[in-house]
Amino acid sequence: MKIKTTQFIKSSTSLEECPKGDFPEFVFFGRSNVGKSTLINAITNNQKLSKISSKPGKTQLINHFLINESFYLVDLPGYGWAKTSKENRIKWDRMSKDFLVKSHKLALLFILIDVRLKPQKIDLENINYLGKNNVPLNLIFTKCDKVKKEELKINVDSFINQILDSWEDVPKYFITSSTKRVGIDDILSQISDTINSITKK
Ligand code: GTP
Ligand code: MG
């Protein structure tokens, strides 16, 4: 799929405020600083689309970007960032989960995992919660440029093994680097396949 147009639509504080209309949503969720906004910019080849920061907590609202005038990429605030107030953490968590579980337009959720880390409890808990609520999801391991091949394999395998403790099948997953553009085309193909399967229904 070719990206022809990218357009920031709006930032929302709740599902009710989100843009109306029927375009399918592809949503990016994960720990603060995992690289959600950077990945959206890599996918769209537009470095200015979503704001990036080396400090966690940059994205604080539900951000809709309309792509090719036919689907949305949605950037959410990250979770697990200890340095913001507890009220903020609870507010962002509620806002994101309410949106994820209730949005009728959600076509696919990508949950991002930092491949440099050993499996994190908060990632596994969120994946299990969203899976149980029937949110269609894939996993994206990020920042693969930052680890050696052996470490990458160990971290991916141990994450997948942990998932298998509660899931019958492993969700589809991708290994990516936004800076080195690894796996970006695979994500674009997954988006385009999902759009095709929706329109066939
Ligand atoms: P919040 O909005 O705070 O939830 O963070 P986020 O998940 O949107 O992360 P963001 O895209 O802002 O990136 C966080 C930091 O990670 C930035 O310094 C990025 O440059 C860096 N980063 C993101 N993706 C990659 C990657 O693939 N490789 C490397 N080396 N750095 C990356
Ligand atoms: Mg962000």
Side-chain angles (χ1 to χ4, degrees), residues 30-39 51-59 75-79 142-146 176-180:
R31 285 160 60 88
S32 272
N33 217 241
V34 69
K36 300 175 290 295
S37 304
T38 311
L39 185 64
K51 295 209 173 56
I52 290 168
S53 171
S54 56
K55 290 197 198 106
K58 182 69 186 171
T59 309
D75 198 5
L76 289 178
Y79 51 76
T142 63
K143 307 192 185 184
C144 77
D145 58 290
K146 288 278 206 180
T176 66
S177 160
S178 296
T179 44
K180 295 266 156 56

Side-chain angles (χ1 to χ4, degrees), residues 17-174:
E17 269 184 24
C18 287
K20 309 285 175 259
D22 283 336
F23 301 124
E25 292 166 329
F26 294 85
V27 186
F28 297 79
F29 193 44
R31 285 160 60 88
S32 272
N33 217 241
V34 69
K36 300 175 290 295
S37 304
T38 311
L39 185 64
I40 286 179
N41 292 352
I43 289 170
T44 55
N45 240 326
N46 180 348
Q47 299 315 315
K48 291 191 186 135
L49 195 62
S50 193
K51 295 209 173 56
I52 290 168
S53 171
S54 56
K55 290 197 198 106
K58 182 69 186 171
T59 309
Q60 306 195 354
L61 296 164
I62 305 169
N63 295 293
H64 278 75
F65 304 98
L66 183 61
I67 313 302
N68 292 355
E69 295 179 17
S70 62
F71 65 95
Y72 289 120
L73 296 185
V74 183
D75 198 5
L76 289 178
Y79 51 76
W81 181 41
K83 282 196 184 133
T84 188
S85 68
K86 198 174 171 195
E87 291 83 71
N88 263 347
R89 257 183 292 166
I90 293 171
K91 189 173 76 185
W92 294 345
D93 200 57
R94 272 206 201 124
M95 175 180 79
S96 297
K97 295 227 179 92
D98 189 63
F99 168 74
L100 290 168
V101 171
K102 294 188 191 153
S103 176
H104 294 301
K105 289 177 292 200
L106 193 146
L108 185 58
L109 165 64
F110 292 107
I111 297 194
L112 279 64
I113 318 285
D114 189 330
V115 83
R116 297 174 298 179
L117 308 178
K118 300 281 170 258
Q120 302 286 303
K121 195 167 156 230
I122 195 163
D123 288 327
L124 292 159
E125 280 173 358
N126 277 333
I127 292 166
N128 288 339
Y129 172 82
L130 293 161
K132 276 187 195 138
N133 279 281
N134 301 317
V135 179
L137 64 87
N138 286 178
L139 306 178
I140 297 180
F141 292 96
T142 63
K143 307 192 185 184
C144 77
D145 58 290
K146 288 278 206 180
V147 288
K148 297 211 171 73
K149 256 191 185 164
E150 304 78 57
E151 195 183 349
L152 184 131
K153 188 174 173 351
I154 291 169
N155 287 352
V156 171
D157 286 354
S158 55
F159 198 91
I160 296 303
N161 280 332
Q162 296 258 358
I163 292 273
L164 282 173
D165 284 347
S166 21
W167 290 57
E168 264 174 42
D169 303 308
V170 179
K172 195 164 192 172
Y173 66 89
F174 302 88

